[in-house]
Amino acid sequence: MLSVLDLRNIYIVPSKTALGLLGVIALLFLLGINFQNSLVYIISFWLLALLLLNIFYTWRNLAGLTLTAMGVEPCFAGEKAVLEVALSRPIKQTKYALELAWAGEDQVQVNLISAQTLRVKLSHSTEGRGYFKPPRLQVSTRYPTGLAVAWSYVYLDVQGLVYPNPVENAFQPTGKAHGATTDDGLEIAGGTSDFNGVRDYQHGDGPKRIHWAKFAQTGKLYTKTFVDYASHDLWLDWDELPMPGIEVRLSHLCRKVLDFHQEQRQYGLKLPGKVIAPGKGEAHKARCLQALALFGVVSE
């Protein structure tokens, strides 16, 4: 979403220094009237013209500036969410001393001189998990002399994910399937992948399963059998957690997702109303963390 600064959303006021200068101009003007001195008149009007011209250039330094939200990097609750914003200027203009800030948070000052577009990163504190929507961003400038302050507020239509805060020492899951185990994992009878031997032919066995070579040797029909193997996938199961409290459970699950990912283990996640099949890798980790971040969160 683009936000363009123009006459409708730029505010400008004289600074304290400018107010002091206005007082000096007024005093000089009164002296010129009292003494009928043309030189004092000229100085008074010259200073007033400089002040007005400075106000125009301060406003112009913001006018035409375009801000585009590029995205918010995911973070954990309690950390700072990093927002990336692209600043663009009109082709024939340059921008100096632009300040981007949130109240009580980070403040960044940039110039747009040689580059027409510049990307800036700012960070903002987070508290709970879920969606982080940055508050309105203040863009201001005092260029060129500091005699005027121009500013505008920008609402950026962007949001990022805030994951649960992982605990230091998490529970140890036991979530494995039950069945006969082999070196390859869990044996699933009636599979289609690996040859497992032969058995006596039974009525209804398909011709593709008949062991024709053994029939040629013995003259008796035998049927080939196959098995599949399931790996010992670990499950992070909400129902296996012994501790009470939603946020505490999510913090434990978050820690184990990070640990299993670092160990390159294959794992799945079971939450009330949502199951993520076992997997591994960056995409799988991000999918699990997103599920934890948005658990119970009502989308707007």
Side-chain angles (χ1 to χ4, degrees), residues 241-258:
L241 300 178
M243 69 287 298
I246 293 177
E247 299 305 323
V248 175
R249 291 190 175 199
L250 292 175
S251 295
H252 278 263
L253 290 172
C254 182
R255 167 52 59 192
K256 296 310 297 184
V257 167
L258 298 177

Side-chain angles (χ1 to χ4, degrees), residues 192-260:
T192 59
S193 300
D194 296 335
F195 179 71
N196 191 46
V198 295
R199 60 171 171 79
D200 291 337
Y201 174 80
Q202 296 177 1
H203 180 70
D205 290 342
K208 291 185 178 180
R209 295 248 176 167
I210 294 177
H211 200 303
W212 295 108
K214 199 167 186 65
F215 173 74
Q217 293 176 357
T218 64
K220 188 177 179 181
L221 289 176
Y222 291 91
T223 300
K224 293 181 287 187
T225 61
F226 297 86
V227 294
D228 291 333
Y229 295 97
S231 61
H232 290 305
D233 295 328
L234 289 172
W235 282 97
L236 299 174
D237 194 338
W238 173 276
D239 294 327
E240 288 187 2
L241 300 178
M243 69 287 298
I246 293 177
E247 299 305 323
V248 175
R249 291 190 175 199
L250 292 175
S251 295
H252 278 263
L253 290 172
C254 182
R255 167 52 59 192
K256 296 310 297 184
V257 167
L258 298 177
D259 290 345
F260 286 169

Side-chain angles (χ1 to χ4, degrees), residues 108-130:
V108 177
Q109 186 177 96
V110 297
N111 298 312
L112 282 172
I113 304 173
S114 57
Q116 186 178 352
T117 301
L118 182 66
R119 292 193 176 189
V120 179
K121 289 187 176 182
L122 300 97
S123 61
H124 193 286
S125 302
T126 62
E127 295 181 359
R129 64 179 177 86

Side-chain angles (χ1 to χ4, degrees), residues 95-115:
K95 306 293 184 183
Y96 299 89
L98 301 173
E99 294 183 358
L100 288 76
W102 286 299
E105 297 288 344
D106 281 1
Q107 178 175 327
V108 177
Q109 186 177 96
V110 297
N111 298 312
L112 282 172
I113 304 173
S114 57

